[in-house]
Amino acid sequence: MNTQTAIHIVDNYLLNPTNPLTVNLIGAGGTGSQMLTALARMNHALIALGHAGLQLNLYDDDKITEANLGRQLFADAELGLYKSVALINRVNRFFGTNWKAVCQTFDADKVQRMPDKGKANLYISCVDTVAARFGIAKLLMDLEFGRYERNKPLYWMDMGNSRYTGQVILSTINEIKQPDSKLYRTIPVLPMVTEEFKELLEAETENQEPSCSLAEALEKQDLYINSAVANMGASLLWQLFREGMTENRGFFINLKEFRTQPLKVA
């Protein structure tokens, strides 16, 4: 029996890129808006540490409504604007970045018409529906891998939540070559959420009718569940950059009971 700790050693390009890492953040709602802010802070810190930083595209075709105010990071003055545009404008002004808003959903038909065909080093999905997750997974599995690392797809981090609970699952898009190690049992493939939890996802029932008010929205998702999931997910990503390895590929969180459960690399 192998008693060595299982870990995943991250792709070297994540740590030492020749250009800013390309990131596709999919979804600009409760979790996505919080994650964007966390990524902007992370980008600032990485550059200060000598890293090339991040270049991000934010995908979302929703517009800001009254029900979004308070639980999501939007203001009265932004009502009617595209969520992606409002958030990206704010981040670019505050941090001096040149990140991009894409006012459309991240699906195969639309992405294929874009110049880079939706390719990025890192994908982070903050979507509400099971169908959207399966659509993203299919698109990632169908990607053509080129010779160049600038937009070589490496990782997919999926973030989701219900009213009081949430989860983050980190996956590899392709096998990541691992160095030989006498200390650890290195794992080159981290399974996708749509493979590992396929039956649970398919059995999930969804009610995605838009909320008319903040009070109604809070019946579906508690006030701080999105920020808890986003900040812990960002912490996992930060660990990849700072330590170059991880023995956890995600976590489950229950905010009502103040419990978290790591998902180990295996």
Side-chain angles (χ1 to χ4, degrees):
M1 182 178 178
N2 192 337
T3 59
Q4 290 178 309
T5 301
I7 67 162
H8 174 75
I9 298 177
V10 304
D11 191 281
N12 184 61
Y13 191 71
L14 206 74
L15 307 178
N16 301 293
T18 53
N19 298 287
L21 285 172
T22 49
V23 181
N24 282 340
L25 178 57
I26 306 164
T31 303
S33 60
Q34 300 277 352
M35 191 61 181
L36 179 70
T37 303
L39 290 169
R41 294 171 59 200
M42 191 181 303
N43 174 65
H44 185 84
L46 285 171
I47 292 172
L49 293 169
H51 190 277
L54 311 174
Q55 180 59 42
L56 182 142
N57 294 317
L58 176 59
Y59 286 80
D60 200 301
D61 67 343
D62 280 348
K63 292 185 178 181
I64 302 164
T65 67
E66 289 275 1
N68 301 140
L69 306 182
R71 192 177 64 83
Q72 299 180 18
L73 293 181
F74 299 111
D76 288 340
E78 295 170 326
L79 285 171
L81 297 177
Y82 281 103
K83 292 181 178 180
S84 55
V85 171
L87 289 169
I88 287 294
N89 283 345
R90 191 189 312 160
V91 164
N92 284 345
R93 288 196 302 268
F94 193 94
F95 288 96
T97 48
N98 188 30
W99 291 359
K100 306 297 182 184
V102 185
C103 304
Q104 64 181 45
T105 54
F106 190 81
D107 60 62
D109 291 339
K110 294 174 181 176
V111 166
Q112 285 298 318
R113 294 196 291 268
M114 299 186 68
D116 60 358
K117 298 186 184 299
K119 287 187 179 180
N121 302 130
L122 173 65
Y123 297 79
I124 303 173
S125 54
C126 307
V127 295
D128 293 329
T129 67
V130 171
R133 284 185 174 84
F134 279 105
I136 292 168
K138 184 179 186 308
L139 191 153
L140 296 183
M141 288 187 289
D142 290 344
L143 286 174
E144 296 180 2
F145 289 80
R147 295 169 50 198
Y148 304 105
E149 292 182 304
R150 184 178 68 86
N151 282 336
K152 182 181 179 181
L154 298 172
Y155 294 97
W156 173 26
M157 177 178 280
D158 180 66
M159 317 180 84
N161 68 279
S162 57
R163 185 175 182 182
Y164 296 113
T165 63
Q167 74 285 330
V168 168
I169 310 293
L170 178 69
S171 312
T172 54
I173 298 173
N174 203 7
E175 181 176 318
I176 305 296
K177 186 177 180 180
Q178 302 287 285
D180 295 330
S181 175
K182 294 181 180 180
L183 296 176
Y184 303 104
R185 179 166 54 89
T186 55
I187 306 299
V189 175
L190 307 178
M192 289 187 175
V193 61
T194 50
E195 296 173 356
E196 189 173 16
F197 300 104
K198 181 178 180 181
E199 292 182 0
L200 287 174
L201 288 171
E202 289 178 336
E204 187 173 321
T205 57
E206 299 176 326
N207 176 14
Q208 295 303 326
E209 294 180 4
S211 302
C212 297
S213 67
L214 175 59
E216 187 176 334
L218 291 174
E219 289 298 316
K220 300 176 183 177
Q221 299 186 52
D222 197 50
L223 186 59
Y224 294 108
I225 185 62
N226 299 113
S227 55
V229 169
N231 283 319
M232 287 190 66
S235 183
L236 173 58
L237 188 58
W238 178 245
Q239 184 182 77
L240 299 184
F241 285 117
R242 296 297 288 150
E243 299 181 11
M245 63 177 69
T246 183
E247 60 180 278
N248 300 305
R249 57 189 177 92
F251 61 86
F252 299 92
I253 181 172
N254 185 318
L255 203 57
K256 192 168 187 177
E257 299 177 4
F258 299 101
R259 284 191 296 108
T260 57
Q261 177 65 44
L263 182 61
K264 295 293 183 181
V265 170

